[in-house]
Amino acid sequence: MSVDTTKGVLGDATIGELEAGLRGTVVRPGDASYDEARTIWNAAHDKHPALVVRCAGTADVLRAVEFARSQDLLVAVRGGAHSIAGFSTCDGGIVIDLSGMRGAVVDPRRRRAVAQAGLTWGDLDHETQAFGLAVTGGLVSSTGIAGFTLGGGVGWLLRRHGLASDNLTAAEVVTADGRVVRADEREHSELFWALRGGGGNFGVVTSLEYALHPVGPQVLAGLIVYPLDQARQVVTRWRELIADMPDELTTLLDLTTAPPVPFLPSEVHGTRVVVLAGMYAGAPAAGEAAVAALRALGTPIADVLGPMPYAGMQSLLDPLWTAGAHNYFTSAFIEPTDAAVDALLRQHLRTPTPSSELHLHQLGGAFARVPAGATAFSQRRASVLCNVIARAPGAAGFEDHVAWARGAREEIAVHGGGSMYVNFTGDAGADKVRASYPGEVHERLVRVKDAYDPTNLFRLNQNIRPSAAAR
């Protein structure tokens, strides 16, 4: 059922004036496309914005920002619309929808790509792999490039080439006061620093320029599945291996429930398992020795790790992460001590639904070698990022599932410094934001916020509050 959230707030003439200045379109309650336009990937957030402005280019974004400011509207910015925390939608405000802005230009000689903010990682990988190039992208190909990058960007190339944000070389930004600026190392350099890990706090990023790297087209990648009774052995052996793995190899341990996929025996379907996922970002033949130890973590139920296209690995998990489910993520940077392993295994046995999981992302390598303070992303010392996921097909019982995830996170987080990863955050309060941007980093982010968004127009994010709002 549509809800007329514009009634008594915005008149038809006012909206008509906005629409007349756009190449894109305005969708409002009552329009045939409204329910489709307001829906995001994460069905846990069922909001009714007053307007959805589907932008065709930067000029439309500029017009939408000016309109939102003049009408004092809450602003949600939407790229790929995965929106784990629900920030790409709102009730009663304006959604600035970039999903129609999907252009990309690849310069193979300079190894650069300029990509509009509505692209997904599947889109960008398609363009860059035509030249045998890539940049660290999402683990699910329908993830939008913009929000992913601004929050850091953890993916299969992390240990070889760093975060997505580490490879951001420039960005075009529409600021709260109606300017269009280019941020890079020379121009608006403080804004550029803040964009690399500070999230969507500082403006609407309309295009991103990335440094690219030779990757693929074939890589050594895939999954190895181990049974529950070997979980402790697998996790502890993996913990011992990760300190000395080559940078080309990035792995993830998934404490999950076996889905009904063809490569698993039917009797395993629906049982708890440990899945080792990994990719060697080098010649597949050279990676065989590196992954041999992964095959010896235990006695696998299935081993489907082998040569495959890079784009195939980037989309391998897509069938398990389709739109329309209820999702809640929360996270902690940890060290996998014996006590941490105990906590992880306890919570694995308590997962409330078959699709609720605990992901252990291996860090280190190029990720850890970025100098302290070089970017706003500051959690470079931890060896593991734990993502606690509550996921269910519908709303029934979902609040209980979220309570499990929050409790699991609190038990696991004591084995780290208390900080979270902003892209894997369901509902971080100010205390957790401060913990994720400690000390001088947070103070510097506030100064950038004061310079580019002093009234906190862009506050649907893991919010860095400007000085005026903090008083």
Side-chain angles (χ1 to χ4, degrees):
M1 179 180 70
S2 294
V3 177
D4 187 359
T5 53
T6 67
K7 189 173 183 180
V9 179
L10 301 172
D12 287 342
T14 303
I15 298 171
E17 184 180 352
L18 166 66
E19 195 164 20
L22 301 173
R23 275 199 307 128
T25 59
V26 174
V27 182
R28 65 188 90 179
D31 290 350
S33 59
Y34 178 72
D35 280 338
E36 181 269 330
R38 72 179 182 84
T39 299
I40 61 174
W41 178 88
N42 186 4
H45 305 287
D46 184 23
K47 302 293 182 67
H48 292 82
L51 298 173
V52 178
V53 179
R54 290 177 152 171
C55 299
T58 299
D60 285 359
V61 176
L62 184 61
R63 182 75 183 95
V65 170
E66 291 171 343
F67 183 84
R69 190 176 64 247
S70 68
Q71 299 296 321
D72 194 25
L73 291 172
L74 181 64
V75 175
V77 181
R78 177 180 301 170
H82 264 214
S83 200
I84 295 301
F87 294 142
S88 66
T89 188
C90 61
D91 281 324
I94 183 172
V95 173
I96 301 177
D97 186 351
L98 311 178
S99 62
M101 298 170 56
R102 300 169 76 97
V105 177
V106 178
D107 183 340
R109 183 183 62 82
R110 293 179 58 241
R111 293 181 180 170
R112 290 289 188 273
V114 178
Q116 288 187 300
L119 284 170
T120 67
W121 281 106
D123 297 330
L124 187 57
D125 288 337
H126 177 78
E127 299 296 332
T128 61
Q129 278 291 281
F131 305 96
L133 300 170
V135 64
T136 307
L139 302 182
V140 177
S141 71
S142 59
T143 304
I145 66 170
F148 177 91
T149 301
L150 298 177
V154 172
W156 297 120
L157 295 176
L158 173 144
R159 289 174 42 76
R160 182 68 181 90
H161 298 300
L163 297 166
S165 58
D166 296 335
N167 292 280
L168 186 68
T169 56
E172 180 184 82
V173 186
V174 175
T175 62
D177 61 358
R179 291 178 292 157
V180 180
V181 304
R182 175 185 168 88
D184 59 23
E185 292 285 5
R186 293 174 298 175
E187 301 178 77
H188 297 275
S189 57
E190 278 297 282
L191 174 60
F192 180 59
W193 171 85
L195 293 175
R196 290 174 291 165
N201 272 283
F202 311 101
V204 183
V205 174
T206 52
S207 70
L208 306 96
E209 180 183 281
Y210 296 99
L212 304 176
H213 308 277
V215 177
Q218 292 288 111
V219 294
L220 186 63
L223 310 172
I224 304 172
V225 183
Y226 293 98
L228 177 64
D229 62 8
Q230 296 178 28
R232 184 176 298 279
Q233 171 184 308
V234 169
V235 175
T236 54
R237 287 183 178 178
W238 174 79
R239 174 188 67 185
E240 294 161 3
L241 287 175
I242 60 176
D244 298 317
M245 279 186 189
D247 289 357
E248 290 83 359
L249 183 58
T250 298
T251 63
L252 178 156
L253 271 188
D254 183 2
L255 306 181
T256 186
T257 299
V261 292
F263 63 83
L264 289 176
S266 59
E267 62 270 19
V268 174
H269 298 172
T271 67
R272 286 182 170 85
V273 294
V274 180
V275 178
L276 184 286
M279 190 184 87
Y280 185 85
E288 285 292 350
V291 303
L294 302 178
R295 304 185 196 277
L297 293 175
T299 304
I301 300 169
D303 182 345
V304 289
L305 194 157
M308 70 168 65
Y310 172 73
M313 185 58 180
Q314 285 289 92
S315 59
L316 185 67
L317 303 178
D318 286 7
L320 301 177
W321 294 93
T322 53
H326 282 54
N327 298 269
Y328 176 88
F329 287 16
T330 186
S331 61
F333 291 93
I334 64 168
E335 294 303 322
T337 62
D338 287 346
V341 172
D342 289 343
L344 290 162
L345 296 179
R346 278 194 299 272
Q347 293 301 334
H348 182 26
L349 295 177
R350 297 172 184 168
T351 49
T353 69
S355 52
S356 296
E357 305 175 338
L358 298 103
H359 293 177
L360 304 179
H361 297 259
Q362 178 190 6
L363 304 176
F367 163 88
R369 287 194 291 273
V370 174
T375 72
F377 191 102
S378 56
Q379 307 299 327
R380 303 284 181 171
R381 294 184 178 180
S383 60
V384 171
L385 167 62
C386 178
N387 183 18
V388 183
I389 300 169
R391 179 174 167 88
F398 190 64
E399 284 304 314
D400 292 336
H401 308 335
V402 170
W404 163 78
R406 290 172 177 158
R409 189 264 173 195
E410 292 308 309
E411 181 178 358
I412 293 162
V414 299
H415 305 289
S419 58
M420 306 176 79
Y421 172 42
V422 297
N423 283 350
F424 292 163
T425 304
D427 55 357
D431 58 332
K432 289 185 171 60
V433 172
R434 288 296 299 266
S436 299
Y437 298 115
E440 295 179 1
V441 172
H442 188 268
E443 292 172 6
R444 189 174 174 185
L445 286 168
V446 171
R447 291 195 295 272
V448 178
K449 185 75 168 178
D450 288 345
Y452 290 92
D453 186 19
T455 65
N456 211 12
L457 179 68
F458 302 111
R459 58 187 179 273
L460 287 182
N461 42 52
Q462 304 304 339
N463 196 227
I464 304 296
R465 301 179 70 193
S467 298
R471 287 197 292 267

